[in-house]
Amino acid sequence: MGSDKSYKSFIRGLLYLLPSLVILGVFQFYPIIKSLDMSFYIRYNYFKDVVHQRGFGNFIYIFNDNQFRIALKNTFIFALGVVPASIILSLGIAVLLNTKIKLRGFFRSIYFLPFVTSVVAISIVWRWIYHSRYGLLNYLLGLVGIYPIQWLTDPKWAMVSLIILSIWRGLGYNIIIFLAGLQNINLQYYQAAKIDGASKWNRFRYITIPQLSPTIFFVSIMSLINAFKVFDEIFALFDKRPGPLNSCLTVVYYIYDQFANQYKYGVASAAVYVLFIIILFFTLIQLYIGRKKVHYD
Amino acid sequence: MIKWIITKKPLFNRINLQKFPLDKLLIYIILTVGGIVTLLPFLWMISTSLKSSNEVHMLPPKWIPSKIMLENYFVILNRVPFKKYFINSVLVTVCTTVGTLITSILAAFAFSKVKFWGRDMLFTLYLGTMMIPGEVLLIPNFVTLSKIGWINSYKALIIPWIVSVFAIFLLRQYFLGIPKELYIAAKIDGSTDWNYMWNIMVPLSKPALITIGLLKVIYSWNSFLWPLIVTNSPTMRTLPIGLTSFSSEGGTEYHLMMAFATMIVLPMILIYFMLQKYIIEGASRTGIKG
């Protein structure tokens, strides 16, 4: 298939790549640099695309901006609320699904269902579920004697509502990944442990968990990254507001607000880069540690 | 019933009867409860979408409406420019999906079957973009599009999304698995690379192409932040944007909102139940969507 270094094969290869290369160039490679550049724009004319002054002003601004600090804090709270709970639940369900039961495929399809549905549509459904007076959740809680909770209007509960919705939505995806991981574990380990008389719990603790640790690690990092990017849910759940008293103002919401409502492109770009660095940090951990350390073979 | 089970089981199975089924029963109970929790919002959505506005605000809530109000769906079809939103969503989804398939086939072919200088470096560069969160690209892309006057156009909704590095990656792996002998045979028969790609490789890669296509369809259909930013006229809205604007205007008309939401969610659910093995297969390959 063509020799390695000839001029002709190089042109041929590039021609096949041309469509994707052009699109990626304009909409992926260029904006990465442009975005960094924009975060240093201090005085600029957006309409004429002239920059009068560059500097660190935007970064100084966001770190002194109370809103941004709230956004960072909320994003971390959100991630801490969603990721561990989601992993424990989905791992538990995956382990149960991996036993010899009937209807396994059926359960798997059900759990995965939220993943294919529009986040916005389903968040509007949850808005209705959380309705303090006529919502399904308060009705069900009322049956066991719990007083109605102001899920979406009480700043103390708004974040909880968002976390519940996100766990519910992300569960199926994690379960699928865990099931794939579980099916890669060599059954001989279990047989050997059974012969040695290891209990079910010990088999889980000393075979499943270590063998699955690369998958658990992968899912944790991916969930963390996705948690840092939460936006659609908030927009739909709280009707274009970041929750009562900014209680669900997250980093991406802050970026959106600065960019689309306040037209502060430089400030928004600076916030984007802070987010990017946080996400890049997790990505690199995943790439390096994930490959080296979390292996038991 | 209980009596029947007890009398049917032979006595020597008693230990099993006590221990084993209890385990299993517990597993089934947990999985069923989990399944109900997963499905409940969907059932509640459909149930509410079929209620009259009076029944929506009734306590205790009824699961089955006393009168099935299919009219709600027609109200939505006529009240908001739903048809326009729907056409926009379908158009954008179809175009991005077809575009993605074409660019992926071409790029995957280059990365798997054409040898040229710099190929591996370019492939690494492509893969590198998977590490970049979409939020980073949002503002500069918006600026680029407004400079070339594409804001509020189908081009803005489609063109930036017709390349998916994940799709290229997936298809390349698939192409690499196709034996070389086929290529040599095709060459002897006088086929060009171009014909070989379309006539042999593409038909052989149908499962991978279906997976890529379906993931793109789901992603495009549900996409929100990008269309929200690059469109501002109601006639360019896609369904999810239309729903959020309807829900802020609609206020308390939850039965109509739920009918709207159902019409967004249902097409994807149908596709999912028909072709789920491709979707689950594709989704389990990566954490990156789109």
Side-chain angles (χ1 to χ4, degrees):
Chain A
M1 305 184 186
S3 70
D4 229 32
K5 282 178 183 171
S6 83
Y7 174 71
K8 247 175 109 181
S9 70
F10 180 68
I11 297 293
R12 226 161 52 85
L14 277 194
L15 278 176
Y16 279 104
L17 288 181
L18 196 64
S20 53
L21 209 51
V22 169
I23 302 284
L24 287 181
V26 176
F27 295 110
Q28 295 252 5
F29 301 138
Y30 166 74
I32 295 169
I33 298 155
K34 178 76 176 172
S35 188
L36 183 62
D37 187 28
M38 283 180 82
S39 66
F40 294 110
Y41 285 12
I42 308 273
R43 289 195 305 122
Y44 58 99
N45 186 330
Y46 156 64
F47 293 104
K48 290 183 190 157
D49 201 31
V50 207
V51 187
H52 302 293
Q53 197 190 339
R54 284 185 170 84
F56 286 95
N58 296 321
F59 290 96
I60 295 165
Y61 176 86
I62 57 171
F63 283 111
N64 286 314
D65 185 3
N66 207 17
Q67 300 258 331
F68 186 69
R69 274 183 271 175
I70 292 173
L72 270 180
K73 196 187 85 188
N74 284 344
T75 309
F76 276 98
I77 293 174
F78 174 77
L80 285 178
V82 171
V83 177
S86 174
I87 289 196
I88 291 166
L89 279 173
S90 50
L91 182 59
I93 293 172
V95 168
L96 294 185
L97 277 176
N98 204 35
T99 52
K100 283 184 204 134
I101 56 156
K102 283 171 192 158
L103 297 172
R104 182 167 139 185
F106 171 76
F107 279 120
R108 198 181 64 160
S109 329
I110 298 288
Y111 285 120
F112 194 71
L113 192 59
F115 188 79
V116 302
T117 55
S118 153
V119 178
V120 169
I122 219 64
S123 300
I124 299 269
V125 174
W126 276 86
R127 195 206 287 180
W128 173 225
I129 290 174
Y130 284 135
H131 194 282
S132 57
R133 190 130 183 231
Y134 301 107
L136 182 63
L137 190 54
N138 273 349
Y139 167 72
L140 292 176
L141 291 176
L143 295 180
V144 289
I146 295 172
Y147 284 110
I149 293 169
Q150 307 284 325
W151 290 102
L152 300 179
T153 46
D154 183 342
K156 274 180 286 180
W157 286 100
M159 180 55 87
V160 179
S161 314
L162 182 64
I163 288 171
I164 294 173
L165 160 60
S166 303
I167 293 174
W168 173 84
R169 202 187 116 74
L171 222 49
Y173 176 74
N174 293 350
I175 289 171
I176 295 296
I177 307 275
F178 280 138
L179 266 177
L182 284 169
Q183 270 148 23
N184 283 333
I185 299 177
N186 195 335
L187 285 176
Q188 284 176 341
Y189 292 125
Y190 291 106
Q191 283 155 1
K194 253 188 195 169
I195 293 167
D196 291 346
S199 70
K200 256 187 182 169
W201 168 252
N202 278 340
R203 271 179 274 157
F204 175 74
R205 171 71 188 80
Y206 294 106
I207 299 173
T208 311
I209 293 289
Q211 286 288 315
L212 205 60
S213 61
T215 313
I216 297 173
F217 188 72
F218 170 80
V219 173
S220 311
I221 297 283
M222 281 304 166
S223 311
L224 266 177
I225 291 176
N226 283 331
F228 273 93
K229 295 165 41 157
V230 63
F231 174 79
D232 297 8
E233 292 89 333
I234 303 167
F235 194 91
L237 200 56
F238 301 102
D239 194 13
K240 305 181 183 177
R241 275 187 301 271
L245 296 177
N246 285 336
S247 51
C248 291
L249 179 72
T250 59
V251 175
V252 177
Y253 205 100
Y254 178 87
I255 293 166
Y256 169 79
D257 185 52
Q258 294 292 323
F259 167 64
N261 296 334
Q262 311 197 26
Y263 305 105
K264 291 182 186 162
Y265 292 8
V267 173
S269 297
V272 162
Y273 253 78
V274 173
L275 175 74
F276 184 27
I277 285 164
I278 295 172
I279 289 177
L280 197 64
F281 173 73
F282 289 123
T283 312
L284 293 178
I285 289 182
Q286 154 74 15
L287 281 179
Y288 290 104
I289 300 178
R291 210 168 277 165
K292 281 181 200 156
K293 279 213 160 172
V294 202
H295 258 292
Y296 284 79
D297 287 326
Chain B
M1 189 71 183
I2 292 165
K3 206 174 158 194
W4 180 80
I5 291 172
I6 293 169
T7 49
K8 266 277 180 181
K9 287 275 174 187
L11 212 70
F12 56 80
N13 253 2
R14 230 178 61 203
I15 298 163
N16 266 348
L17 188 78
Q18 279 173 350
K19 213 179 155 192
F20 186 66
L22 204 70
D23 266 24
K24 276 228 152 145
L25 190 69
L26 199 66
I27 291 179
Y28 277 114
I29 290 174
I30 295 172
L31 288 177
T32 308
V33 169
I36 290 173
V37 171
T38 309
L39 283 183
L40 218 55
F42 294 109
L43 300 174
W44 179 242
M45 169 184 79
I46 293 167
S47 159
T48 308
S49 77
L50 295 168
K51 286 178 181 173
S52 66
S53 71
N54 282 332
E55 212 164 9
V56 167
H57 298 110
M58 214 183 261
L59 286 171
K62 267 191 200 166
W63 280 98
I64 313 247
S66 48
K67 187 170 175 281
I68 303 285
M69 296 284 287
L70 271 175
E71 295 93 308
N72 292 342
Y73 286 84
F74 294 104
V75 171
I76 284 293
L77 281 176
N78 295 319
R79 167 117 52 107
V80 293
F82 184 88
K83 283 171 213 156
K84 186 71 191 154
Y85 300 160
F86 189 82
I87 290 166
N88 290 345
S89 270
V90 170
L91 190 80
V92 169
T93 302
V94 169
C95 291
T96 49
T97 305
V98 172
T100 302
L101 288 174
I102 293 171
T103 59
S104 302
I105 290 169
L106 292 173
F109 188 76
F111 283 134
S112 60
K113 301 285 168 181
V114 185
K115 276 190 186 146
F116 58 95
W117 180 85
R119 183 180 80 170
D120 296 340
M121 196 189 70
L122 268 175
F123 188 57
T124 314
L125 196 65
Y126 271 46
L127 289 184
T129 63
M130 293 213 280
M131 288 167 44
I132 311 297
E135 289 72 15
V136 175
L137 316 172
L138 208 62
I139 300 169
N141 281 347
F142 175 83
V143 172
T144 305
L145 292 189
S146 38
K147 245 189 255 171
I148 51 179
W150 280 12
I151 296 300
N152 252 327
S153 74
Y154 289 121
K155 281 176 278 185
L157 292 169
I158 294 165
I159 303 292
W161 300 101
I162 59 166
V163 174
S164 157
V165 172
F166 169 63
I168 293 171
F169 173 75
L170 205 72
L171 198 59
R172 174 185 171 266
Q173 300 301 99
Y174 211 88
F175 279 1
L176 285 175
I178 293 172
K180 246 186 181 157
E181 288 73 18
L182 277 176
Y183 180 76
I184 296 163
K187 274 278 152 171
I188 292 169
D189 288 346
S191 162
T192 58
D193 271 12
W194 181 260
N195 286 335
Y196 171 71
M197 180 179 77
W198 288 109
N199 297 335
I200 314 265
M201 302 269 277
V202 169
L204 280 177
S205 312
K206 230 162 91 186
L209 290 168
I210 294 174
T211 299
I212 291 167
L214 286 173
L215 287 182
K216 195 70 187 186
V217 165
I218 295 169
Y219 187 78
S220 277
W221 185 261
N222 297 335
S223 154
F224 182 69
L225 185 52
W226 180 253
L228 177 71
I229 279 173
V230 297
T231 63
N232 45 44
S233 83
T235 52
M236 287 308 298
R237 282 176 187 156
T238 55
L239 284 171
I241 319 283
L243 175 60
T244 52
S245 60
F246 175 72
S247 78
S248 7
E249 292 147 21
T252 54
E253 293 180 298
Y254 280 101
H255 54 304
L256 298 180
M257 276 188 233
M258 294 303 112
F260 199 139
T262 306
M263 286 194 277
I264 298 180
V265 166
L266 215 53
M268 291 305 114
I269 292 184
L270 291 178
I271 289 177
Y272 170 67
F273 277 121
M274 283 187 297
L275 300 158
Q276 59 165 305
K277 81 169 181 194
Y278 296 102
I279 297 170
I280 290 181
E281 157 79 7
S284 63
R285 292 286 191 92
T286 183
I288 295 128
K289 292 175 278 176

